[in-house]
């Protein structure tokens, strides 16, 4: 079934068209994004149960260009009476005296727009909104109980699920676009305690759609508990450079944190990225082909158009090791004289649009995982990424993983190190890739920040990879 | 508000917390010294948490769920979202606890230094202060984002609270760039409740100076074990371990072994004994009760458990509300003396992290100063991976002070035996 558009957006559409016309009559360029996002978040642990609204938002943002300068106005209330006030607020904002002496202002041309009328919606099998809260909590409680019952050493077992459904309407002089999207994410976490340290293992699931995606959570209970118990015997990492096999989630974190942020083209505008100097050059092993794009995969960051009315793309960022292009929002493309790639995204209507990743992943290779492990003389099998931080300017890597399993003479020894910090220079790591497995998996249970804020839904992943990495 | 109260009455909801928040935000985005975009966000949202008592298997329960009421919703829409929350609350099987009594007071006007001033005027002053440090050619501000925010909050609860307050603050981030000899950048944040222009200029000047130092750092420290000096935001993050582990929710769920009266810094202390207080940065808790500063640690001994009413009740302690800021007395040792013996003084990480569950801390080193053989060598790259459980007995705090919106305490700490993965 197709996700139905929000009744609120449908009801406000005539007023939004009036507002669009009033803005376009006044300014050199104007657009409106209307958003209605609903969702719920459920969580069950040993000692706590919750069923709350998830990240929801309802409101509007106007972007206007006058005499070359851009301004944006986000607001919550739209009535016929408010339209002149909104136009006046934008006018005042463009004229606001906020800039001290000595600082200049950037100017832009209006974007070139092709006439576009679009309406699209994603599919689902079972709408979570049609399920009773009690039914959902019962399913999560059953997962929790299974996890807790597996071993007396389990301190806690958490099962959570959230779903989000949004409708966005984008209007400008040339564009009239509507989309409705729904995704579901979930995860299980097992915790175990040794002395004063709590060790945790986490397994996510995610996808476009509805309740049908929860089935994947069932399979994750046992491996999650086993991993948490394994971690009780973990040792501190011995710093050094190792041959590593990365699981698809760790590959995804490397793709996203280590490289993806470095090709966000608002970073090119600010001279905050090394990538522009490497366009057309080898930045990775010839085995590596990297994609980003809302239409490049079917995952939680899939949409039909971005928050600036640019249709979704499938951008090949790295083609067989060669850096081809970055990804871009509209204003950065105007600054750089390039084409936007459908990556202009906002945390919500109340926030600015930046260049943001969507579904970011490496294409699979042709190797078998067991052969890859067998080829390692001494190294580590990396699992359970926990966090990462970008460094586009210097292409430094910071990724944290919870598990490094020792490999000796091609076999896992059972020895585990945790936690582990991956560091190094991004192209060195990507060029060191010597094998990629023959399947790719994407995961979209988390959010991505720009620096330390502006959280948007993303997915990332790829195949198992073999690379040389500095671990600490 | 009347629509909400009326819908709650119609549904038979007797226990609730209504939090109404209106935010007016003026935002400026700079690329180099050019204003790239001006934004204003005028948004409002009301969250309503409903509480539903019931019994399950002979145990008294209190279910709860939250609904969001948006401006412009009709009475029927308001009732529908509240009805969904009320329905969900019956499945939330948490043991009963009492909602804390709130107070009824007239709304508190903005008491900060930005009170009464137009946001544009304050924005201009803070922007001027930030860029006042940007005077050199070889190191400069690459980009900056400033957010002047005026927020009005009102809380009404079924337990007698009706309070409101207004506050204005500035939050921002900026990136410093030094193009030569190695083209590098560093990232920084700030947050002030008043026009602390001199503090912002000084912070930006220090950030620019450190960026210049990073540009000269070309090698990573050698792999090994180091005495580590951490400062500023990294020290605040490190000490967050004690705040997190003293939370009622962590203790009740057994993620933290802390108990009142425990020597949580350990028994074998050869360094400074840690004293720490939690500082109230908002006048009221989320339940409309007055918030007060709270002594947390005294010479390494846990003096308080903090948190909301639910887990506090389960543990048999008083609810305190949620804290964001800490105060720590400075130590006796001058920074110069802390770094006199060989050590790695780590001043900047890509993202320094402290895991309160495991006690591990670490991150990728963006800039450090290696003090050895009488020399001070800037280093970059590699990673730090330590455990506060191993280090906490040997912490030595600086005499110098560092203050931000959420921290007032020693500028730096020296801890021993931390693993570094480097060259």
């Amino acid at each position: 079934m197709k996700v139905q558009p929000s009744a609120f957006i449908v009801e406000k559409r005539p007023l939004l068209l009036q507002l669009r016309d009033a803005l376009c009559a006044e300014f050199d360029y104007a657009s409106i994004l209307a958003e209605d996002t609903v969702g719920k978040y459920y969580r069950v642990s040993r000692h706590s149960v919750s069923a709350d609204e998830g990240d929801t938002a309802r409101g509007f943002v106007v972007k206007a260009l006058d005499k070359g300068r851009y301004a944006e106005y986000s607001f919550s209330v739209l009535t016929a009476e408010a339209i002149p006030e909104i136009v006046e607020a934008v006018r005042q904002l463009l004229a606001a005296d906020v800039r001290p002496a000595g600082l200049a202002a950037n100017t832009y041309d209006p974007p070139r727009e092709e006439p576009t009328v679009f309406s699209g919606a994603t599919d689902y099998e079972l709408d979570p909104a049609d399920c009773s809260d009690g039914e959902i909590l019962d399913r999560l409680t059953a997962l929790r109980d299974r996890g807790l019952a597996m071993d007396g050493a389990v301190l806690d077992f958490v099962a959570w699920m959230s779903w989000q459904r949004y409708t966005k309407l984008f209007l400008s002089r040339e564009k009239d676009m509507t989309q409705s999207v729904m995704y579901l994410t979930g995860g299980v976490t097992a915790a175990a305690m040794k002395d004063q340290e709590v060790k945790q293992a986490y397994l996510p699931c995610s996808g476009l759609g509805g309740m049908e995606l929860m089935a994947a959570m069932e399979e994750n209970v046992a491996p999650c508990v086993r991993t948490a118990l394994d971690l009780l015997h973990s040792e501190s990492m011995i710093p050094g450079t190792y041959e590593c096999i990365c699981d698809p989630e760790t590959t995804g974190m490397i793709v996203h944190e280590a490289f993806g942020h470095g090709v966000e083209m608002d970073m090119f505008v600010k001279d905050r990225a090394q990538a522009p100097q490497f366009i057309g050059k080898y930045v990775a092993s010839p085995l590596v082909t990297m994609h980003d794009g809302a239409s490049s995969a079917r995952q939680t960051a899939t949409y039909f158009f971005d928050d600036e009315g640019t249709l979704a793309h499938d951008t090949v960022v790295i083609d067989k090791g060669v850096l081809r292009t970055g990804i871009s929002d509209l204003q950065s493309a105007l600054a750089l004289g390039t084409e936007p790639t459908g990556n202009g995204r906002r945390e919500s209507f109340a926030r600015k649009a930046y260049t943001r990743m969507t579904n970011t992943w490496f294409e699979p290779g042709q190797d078998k995982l067991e052969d890859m492990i067998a080829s390692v003389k001494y190294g580590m099998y990396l699992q359970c990424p926990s966090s990462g931080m970008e460094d586009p300017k210097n292409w430094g890597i910071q990724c944290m993983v919870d598990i490094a399993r020792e490999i000796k003479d091609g076999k896992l020894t059972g020895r585990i190190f945790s936690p582990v910090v991956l560091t190094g220079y991004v192209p060195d790591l990507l060029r060191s890739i010597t094998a990629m497995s023959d399947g790719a998996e994407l995961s979209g249970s988390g959010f991505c920040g720009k620096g330390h804020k502006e959280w948007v839904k993303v997915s990332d992943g790829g195949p198992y990879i073999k690379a040389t990495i500095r671990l600490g | 508000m009347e629509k909400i109260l009326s819908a709650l009455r119609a549904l038979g909801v007797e226990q609730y917390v209504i939090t109404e928040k209106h935010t007016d935000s003026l935002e400026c985005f700079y690329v180099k010294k050019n204003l790239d975009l001006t934004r204003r966000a005028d948004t409002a949202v009301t969250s309503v948490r409903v509480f539903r008592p019931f019994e399950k298997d002979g145990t008294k329960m209190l279910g709860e769920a939250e609904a969001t009421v948006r401006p412009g919703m009709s009475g029927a829409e308001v009732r529908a979202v509240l009805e969904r929350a009320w329905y969900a609350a019956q499945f939330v099987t948490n043991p009963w606890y009492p909602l804390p009594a709130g107070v009824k007071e007239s709304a508190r006007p903005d008491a900060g230094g930005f009170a009464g001033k137009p946001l544009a005027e304050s924005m201009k002053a803070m922007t001027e202060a930030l860029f006042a440090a940007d005077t050199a050619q070889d190191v400069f501000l690459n980009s900056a984002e400033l957010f002047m925010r005026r927020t009005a909050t009102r809380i009404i609860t079924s337990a007698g609270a009706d309070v409101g307050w207004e506050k204005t603050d500035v939050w921002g981030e900026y990136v410093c760039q030094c193009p030569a000899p190695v083209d590098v950048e560093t990232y920084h944040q700030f947050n002030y409740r008043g026009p602390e222009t001199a503090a912002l200029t000084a912070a930006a000047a220090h950030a620019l100076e450190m960026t210049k130092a990073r540009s000269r750092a070309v090698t990573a420290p050698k792999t090994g074990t180091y005495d580590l000096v951490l400062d500023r935001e990294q020290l605040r993050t490190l000490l967050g371990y004690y705040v997190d582990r003293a939370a009622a929710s962590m203790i009740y769920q057994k993620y933290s072994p802390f108990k009142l009266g425990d020597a949580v810094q350990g028994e074998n202390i050869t360094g400074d004994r840690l004293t720490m207080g939690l500082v109230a940065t908002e006048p009221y808790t989320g339940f409309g009760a007055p918030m007060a500063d709270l002594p947390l640690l005294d010479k390494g001994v846990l003096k308080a458990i903090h948190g909301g009413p639910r887990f506090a009740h389960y543990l048999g302690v008083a609810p305190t509300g949620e804290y964001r800021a800490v105060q720590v007395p400075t130590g006796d040792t001058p920074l110069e003396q802390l770094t006199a013996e060989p050590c790695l003084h780590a001043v900047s990480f890509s993202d320094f992290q402290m895991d309160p569950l495991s006690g591990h801390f670490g991150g990728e080193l963006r800039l450090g100063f290696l003090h050895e053989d009488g020399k001070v060598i800037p280093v970059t790259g590699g990673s730090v991976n330590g455990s506060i459980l191993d280090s906490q007995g040997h912490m030595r705090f600086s005499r110098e002070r560092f203050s931000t919106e959420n921290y007032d305490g020693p500028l730096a700490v020296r801890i021993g035996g931390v693993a570094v993965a480097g060259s």
Side-chain angles (χ1 to χ4, degrees):
Chain A
M1 282 178 282
K2 293 284 181 196
V3 177
Q4 292 302 300
S6 138
F8 171 78
I9 298 281
V10 171
E11 183 204 318
K12 291 293 181 188
R13 182 181 162 79
L15 283 177
L16 288 161
L17 289 168
Q18 280 182 41
L19 176 60
R20 187 263 315 260
D21 293 344
L23 291 163
C24 287
E26 175 91 14
F27 304 112
D28 298 335
Y29 169 81
S31 67
I32 309 166
L33 179 77
E35 173 190 10
D36 187 16
T37 300
V38 297
K40 286 205 82 162
Y41 174 80
Y42 302 88
R43 184 180 185 276
V44 177
S45 67
R46 186 192 283 272
H47 294 290
S48 192
V49 179
S50 59
D52 286 311
E53 284 198 344
D55 293 321
T56 64
R58 178 186 278 191
F60 316 89
V61 54
V62 165
K63 183 163 188 161
L65 180 76
D66 195 46
K67 299 184 183 68
R69 288 183 54 194
Y70 271 117
E72 291 187 353
Y73 178 49
S74 301
F75 53 99
S76 303
V77 179
L78 176 63
T79 60
E81 300 73 38
I83 288 176
E85 294 165 21
I86 293 165
V87 176
E88 177 59 23
V90 176
R91 195 183 295 128
Q92 285 185 11
L93 194 55
L94 281 160
D97 178 23
V98 292
R99 189 161 39 99
L103 300 181
N106 284 336
T107 56
Y108 293 87
D109 291 330
R112 293 183 307 276
E113 288 194 312
E114 297 295 322
T116 311
V117 175
F118 178 87
S119 178
T122 58
D123 302 298
Y124 67 95
E125 290 175 24
L126 183 58
D127 189 346
D130 291 341
C131 295
S132 135
D133 300 299
E135 183 188 333
I136 292 170
L137 286 172
D138 281 350
R139 285 182 70 172
L140 294 174
T141 301
L143 295 176
R144 176 200 66 181
D145 291 346
R146 264 179 58 207
L148 289 174
M150 274 187 68
D151 195 296
V154 177
L155 170 71
D156 201 356
F157 192 89
V158 181
W160 67 272
M161 182 278 268
S162 75
W163 60 268
Q164 194 174 63
R165 185 180 66 226
Y166 65 81
T167 295
K168 290 182 179 179
L169 167 64
F170 181 88
L171 293 171
S172 65
R173 186 172 280 130
E174 301 293 344
K175 295 187 176 182
D176 183 343
M177 309 166 84
T178 308
Q179 63 182 341
S180 298
V181 174
M182 180 161 69
Y183 62 78
L184 182 141
T185 58
V188 289
T189 302
M193 194 163 204
K194 180 187 176 188
D195 302 325
Q196 288 199 54
E197 282 191 51
V198 175
K199 297 290 193 181
Q200 288 197 108
Y202 167 64
L203 284 174
C205 78
S206 65
L208 275 186
M211 288 297 290
E212 65 277 7
L213 297 163
M214 266 191 86
M217 291 176 68
E218 309 274 342
E219 298 162 14
N220 287 342
V221 174
C224 187
V225 169
R226 280 198 298 271
T227 302
L229 296 175
D230 284 350
L231 279 169
L232 292 179
H233 309 293
S234 64
E235 304 169 39
S236 294
M237 188 67 214
I238 301 162
T241 301
Y242 298 88
E243 274 192 295
C244 294
I245 306 294
C246 301
D247 74 356
E249 274 193 78
T250 306
T251 300
M253 186 170 64
I254 291 169
V255 176
H256 179 101
E257 296 292 354
F259 202 83
H261 281 290
V263 292
E264 292 170 337
M265 289 171 74
D266 52 356
M267 296 290 146
F268 295 12
V269 174
K270 294 173 181 170
D271 186 24
R272 288 192 59 198
Q274 279 198 23
Q277 302 155 35
F278 285 83
I279 301 282
K281 297 180 182 168
Y282 275 98
V283 292
S285 150
L287 297 173
V288 173
T289 293
M290 171 185 165
H291 294 249
D292 177 274
S295 66
S296 74
R298 200 184 132 76
Q299 250 293 347
T300 51
T302 296
Y303 50 73
F304 299 96
F305 58 86
D306 70 5
D307 293 337
E308 299 174 305
T310 303
L311 286 168
H313 281 48
D314 175 3
T315 306
V316 176
V317 177
I318 299 173
D319 185 14
K320 297 181 179 63
V322 177
L323 179 59
R324 291 298 179 200
T325 184
I327 55 177
S328 181
D329 65 292
L330 178 62
Q331 197 164 325
S332 298
L334 287 167
L336 294 166
T338 55
E339 291 298 318
T341 58
N343 291 80
R345 303 182 69 189
R346 301 174 188 274
E347 179 179 292
S348 76
F349 73 93
R351 310 291 297 189
K352 178 185 183 292
Y354 298 80
T355 299
R356 307 306 301 272
M357 278 176 273
T358 53
N359 307 303
T360 312
W361 52 285
F362 282 168
E363 282 186 7
Q366 296 182 331
D367 299 292
K368 298 290 179 197
L369 173 61
E370 50 274 25
D371 296 339
M372 291 165 65
I373 293 173
S375 72
V376 175
K377 180 75 180 160
Y378 185 79
M380 299 289 161
Y381 173 50
L382 305 179
Q383 289 178 288
C384 296
S386 54
S387 67
M389 193 68 195
E390 72 269 25
D391 182 16
K393 184 75 186 171
N394 302 101
W395 261 342
I397 301 163
Q398 173 177 323
C399 294
M400 314 275 283
V401 299
D402 283 339
I403 301 175
R405 295 182 187 272
E406 187 185 55
I407 306 171
K408 201 182 265 185
D409 296 328
K411 291 189 174 62
L412 291 162
T413 65
R415 200 174 171 198
I416 293 177
F417 301 92
S418 174
V420 180
V421 188
L422 285 65
T423 56
Y425 180 57
V426 172
D428 285 350
L429 190 157
L430 298 186
R431 287 173 188 142
S432 78
I433 293 173
T434 53
M436 301 181 91
S437 71
D438 54 1
E441 296 169 28
L442 273 76
S443 175
S445 67
F447 289 82
C448 167
K450 189 87 166 173
H452 296 263
K453 57 185 179 64
E454 314 296 343
W455 301 100
V456 297
K457 199 63 170 157
V458 292
S459 82
D460 53 51
Y464 292 87
I465 61 171
K466 181 182 173 190
T468 304
I469 308 175
R470 182 166 64 197
L471 306 178
Chain B
M1 184 61 76
E2 190 41 48
K3 273 184 204 166
I4 293 170
L5 291 169
S6 162
L8 290 171
R9 279 192 297 271
L11 289 166
V13 179
E14 292 179 352
Q15 296 183 73
Y16 54 83
V17 174
I18 304 170
T19 307
E20 203 176 56
K21 192 165 273 193
H22 175 252
T23 304
D24 193 0
S25 170
L26 180 64
E27 305 162 6
C28 288
F29 300 81
Y30 283 86
V31 177
K32 303 281 170 45
K33 285 188 169 74
N34 292 348
L35 178 61
D36 197 49
L37 178 70
T38 310
R39 294 190 85 254
R40 187 178 156 212
D42 182 5
T43 57
V45 68
T46 302
S47 72
V48 183
R49 182 160 282 274
V50 297
F51 299 85
R52 185 164 185 159
F54 59 94
E55 279 202 8
K56 188 178 179 195
D57 304 329
T59 304
K60 219 169 142 187
M61 299 285 177
L62 186 69
E64 60 191 275
E66 194 168 63
T68 304
V69 176
R70 308 274 175 196
M73 277 185 170
S74 67
E77 280 182 295
V78 171
R79 186 185 160 115
V81 295
L82 294 179
E83 196 165 9
R84 283 199 291 274
W86 183 236
Y87 176 79
Q90 69 183 306
F91 302 108
V92 176
T93 51
N94 294 321
W96 180 87
Y97 63 97
L99 297 195
V103 295
K104 196 170 281 193
E105 293 179 349
S106 28
R108 295 191 190 191
D110 194 344
F114 293 123
K117 292 179 183 158
L119 292 180
E121 182 186 319
S122 298
M123 172 65 84
K124 197 170 175 178
M126 296 311 291
T127 307
E128 194 163 16
L130 176 64
F131 281 91
D134 188 11
T135 54
Q137 297 295 314
D138 55 347
V139 60
F140 48 82
L141 295 183
N142 169 287
S143 47
E145 300 186 359
L146 295 98
F147 300 74
M148 284 297 318
R149 307 177 294 200
R150 181 158 288 148
T151 308
T153 307
R154 186 181 178 195
I155 297 175
I156 295 177
T157 77
S158 54
D162 187 350
V163 295
W165 70 99
E166 191 175 277
K167 79 169 188 183
T168 309
D169 73 344
V170 60
W171 185 91
E173 61 176 29
Y174 57 97
V175 172
C176 303
Q177 183 179 359
C178 183
V182 178
D183 192 357
V184 298
E185 67 173 37
T186 58
Y187 170 90
H188 309 270
Q189 294 180 7
F190 61 89
N191 184 200
Y192 300 106
R193 292 283 286 267
E196 296 181 38
T197 50
L200 179 56
T201 304
H206 176 76
L208 288 161
E209 189 187 327
M210 288 300 106
T211 310
K212 209 167 165 179
R214 188 186 175 197
S215 179
R216 293 195 304 269
V218 288
T219 56
K222 286 198 173 76
T223 294
T225 302
Y226 290 79
D227 278 11
L228 188 70
V229 173
L230 289 171
D231 66 15
R232 298 168 195 269
E233 294 295 347
Q234 282 77 240
L235 175 52
R236 166 69 179 92
T237 303
L238 185 84
L239 296 179
Y241 163 84
Y242 296 98
V243 180
D244 290 341
R245 282 213 166 186
S249 58
M250 290 271 281
I251 293 169
Y252 181 75
Q253 298 187 88
K254 302 197 188 311
Y255 284 98
S256 165
F258 279 18
K259 292 189 188 71
L260 281 176
D262 272 4
V264 296
Q265 198 185 341
E267 300 290 348
N268 179 26
I269 297 179
T270 59
D272 293 337
R273 289 179 184 273
L274 182 60
T275 293
M276 182 188 288
L278 300 175
V279 180
T281 50
E282 304 289 350
Y284 302 100
T285 70
F287 287 80
M291 268 192 93
D293 294 353
L294 184 72
L296 186 72
L297 296 178
D298 183 24
K299 295 185 172 59
V301 174
L302 187 68
K303 293 294 178 188
I305 292 170
H306 63 94
R310 185 171 143 222
F311 288 108
H313 177 75
Y314 297 166
L315 286 174
V317 299
T320 65
E322 311 292 336
Y323 290 90
R324 287 176 47 239
V326 298
Q327 188 164 38
V328 181
T330 54
D332 296 327
T333 315
L335 179 61
E336 197 178 355
Q337 201 175 320
L338 280 185
T339 56
E341 296 293 314
C343 67
L344 175 62
H345 180 187
V347 299
S348 175
F349 289 84
S350 55
D351 185 22
F352 183 75
Q353 297 203 3
M354 173 77 242
D355 179 357
L357 298 181
S358 69
H360 284 273
F361 60 85
E364 186 222 2
L365 188 66
R366 291 236 169 131
L367 175 65
F369 294 100
L370 194 58
H371 294 254
E372 60 181 12
D373 303 330
K375 292 181 192 157
V376 181
I377 304 157
V379 290
T380 188
S383 64
V384 165
N385 189 345
S387 168
I388 198 164
L389 297 170
D390 298 335
S391 307
Q392 61 183 353
H394 319 293
M395 295 189 286
R396 187 76 67 190
F397 293 104
S398 74
R399 180 187 290 172
E400 292 82 357
R401 178 173 291 280
F402 174 65
S403 293
T404 66
E405 179 65 11
N406 64 8
Y407 176 79
D408 179 32
L411 174 75
V413 65
R414 181 180 175 119
I415 50 183
V418 176
V420 172
S423 57

